[in-house]
Amino acid sequence: MDTTIATDTETRSVRPAGHFGLIPDLSGLQKNDARSWLKYFFVEYNPLYFISAFCMLYGIFLIDRNLATMTILSGSFTAVALLLVLQLYELSLLAAAIFLAHRLGAIRPAAMLCLLECVLLFDCTFRLEGLAMQSWFGMAIDVLWLLMLALKLRLIAVAMRLDIRAYHYVSVLLTAACIPLLIAFLSRVDSNHAVGLQVAAWLGTLIVLALELRRPSLRSGWAMNEDQARLADSCIKAAFRIFIGFYFYHVWAFLFFVAEPSIRVQAVFGQFSAYFLLCVLTRTSASDIWKFAILMLMNSFFTPVVLTYALILLSVAMGLQAWHRSDGNLGVAASLLMFAATCLSGWNGDGAPMPDLPAWYSWKFGVLAICLLLISYRTRSLLAIGLVSGAACYALYQAVGPLLPHKEIGKGAVVIALAFLMLLTGLWVNMHFRVHTGDEEA
């Protein structure tokens, strides 16, 4: 009996902690001694990897701050030196993760190394910002960085045995490519920072959709039971959320530390617009879609230069919701928003008066009328039918208005004739819709 208890005590090592891994959960048979604590913190939750990553980042920070004093490298190559060191360190992390998982069977520390690599994957040291200032040289380095990123994604998949697909590669690479492209655009002297930061915020909405809300699920080959699969899924979600976070990390760094103070307030409001757009695309309640669409539209007025783009984007978002839900009212809103965008094309605020409405017989009104007719036919939306009827009456008035009498006697005669016409029309409606009804219904 004593031997059994001793063996069980030895095999049951420190249990997973319930306090985020900060305090070991020791069983009553285990000793709360220094050896158990050291085993817990340096084997199960090894902090040396985090210390290693911190040392790497802090060392890059110290060298970067004094890079101008170094004479080993000169010219454009000084902007690449530390990026190459960071790439070498990232490959070392992934090689260690593969070794731990496939050779030693130590899955937990391998997963920790892969999560650390996710933190470093999108260049948290701002090397890309420096390369964005270069011309062809910076573009070439950015392309090589994207190729290395694809390789590192593959190594993460190998280490964790992930069934990663083309969708995941493409979505992560496109997210990464947006960072140097946006930085290069915002770094130009003649660029409009208000428009660039607003576009960056809207791209963030699409990135959240691609990497979080619409991402196909992934499974790890190391998960042997339901609990392990749940833990692996949590780690995978954390990795993709890190990617999303570091995209906004680069955008917001430019917003708060580089952009001019005069447009900073407008750009901050633009970030809220991205959240409202996300709600329009993802909410299931029609009332919520309307509310967040109105909020996004009101928010866009703080930055008039992007109002046209906001109308187009909001029209597309509500059009997708209308198509998915077969909601005619949302379709009407999408059509009106696109019509407003075409009318405001070329207007950027800045004290200029808003353009006048186009003529009722213009192509813009024609396209709007066709859209409303299609919506009325497909969904029987009362809103669409009412707008089409009103537009038809207005067009009829514009067409026959010059032919109507201008004196009150003539107008009275026309109204009397209209009274008889309405009476006959009412009789026709009753005859047409009640001709087949029975005695009880009549």
Side-chain angles (χ1 to χ4, degrees), residues 14 37 212 262 304 323 334 376 392 396 403 410:
V14 181
W37 282 72
E212 175 68 16
S262 58
W323 180 271
S376 303
L396 181 63
L403 304 177

Side-chain angles (χ1 to χ4, degrees), residues 32 78 92 119 148 150 159 163 176 178 189-190 215 236 261 307 323 331 336 340 369 430:
N32 192 2
T78 56
S92 301
V119 173
M148 285 292 296
D163 57 341
C178 287
V189 179
D190 58 343
R215 171 179 53 84
I236 292 168
L307 181 58
W323 180 271
L336 292 175
N430 285 126

Side-chain angles (χ1 to χ4, degrees), residues 66-208:
N66 299 277
L67 195 61
T69 62
M70 300 177 62
T71 58
I72 300 176
L73 297 174
S74 60
S76 301
F77 293 98
T78 56
V80 187
L82 293 180
L83 182 62
L84 293 177
V85 173
L86 184 61
Q87 300 305 304
L88 178 61
Y89 180 73
E90 292 182 49
L91 292 176
S92 301
L93 283 180
L94 293 174
I98 294 173
F99 174 77
L100 287 170
H102 291 265
R103 290 285 183 160
L104 303 183
I107 308 302
R108 179 181 292 169
M112 291 167 57
L113 287 177
C114 289
L115 288 175
L116 277 177
E117 169 56 27
C118 291
V119 173
L120 302 175
L121 196 63
F122 278 17
D123 181 37
C124 60
T125 61
F126 295 107
R127 297 297 93 208
L128 294 176
E129 275 73 355
L131 291 171
M133 306 298 179
Q134 311 291 334
S135 56
W136 65 269
F137 180 75
M139 293 176 60
I141 296 299
D142 288 338
V143 171
L144 292 176
W145 175 75
L146 288 173
L147 294 176
M148 285 292 296
L149 191 143
L151 173 63
K152 288 179 280 189
L153 283 176
R154 181 58 190 165
L155 292 177
I156 292 175
V158 171
M160 293 291 99
R161 288 185 176 177
L162 299 175
D163 57 341
I164 190 167
R165 285 167 267 177
Y167 176 92
H168 304 96
Y169 283 110
V170 172
S171 58
V172 174
L173 287 174
L174 287 178
T175 302
C178 287
I179 296 174
L181 289 175
L182 285 171
I183 294 170
F185 173 78
L186 293 171
S187 301
R188 292 171 51 186
V189 179
D190 58 343
S191 65
N192 190 319
H193 288 176
V195 175
L197 289 170
Q198 183 63 76
V199 170
W202 289 333
L203 281 175
T205 298
L206 301 180
I207 288 169
V208 172

Side-chain angles (χ1 to χ4, degrees), residues 357-415:
L357 282 175
W360 66 273
Y361 50 82
S362 65
W363 69 268
K364 297 177 182 179
F365 271 109
V367 173
L368 177 62
I370 292 173
C371 292
L372 293 178
L373 283 171
L374 291 175
I375 294 169
S376 303
Y377 175 75
R378 295 293 300 273
T379 65
R380 302 297 191 271
S381 169
L382 293 179
L383 179 60
I385 294 173
L387 289 174
V388 170
S389 302
C393 292
Y394 180 78
L396 181 63
Y397 174 77
Q398 291 292 328
V400 302
L403 304 177
L404 294 176
H406 297 285
K407 295 182 179 181
E408 290 189 355
I409 296 177
K411 291 180 180 179
V414 170
V415 171

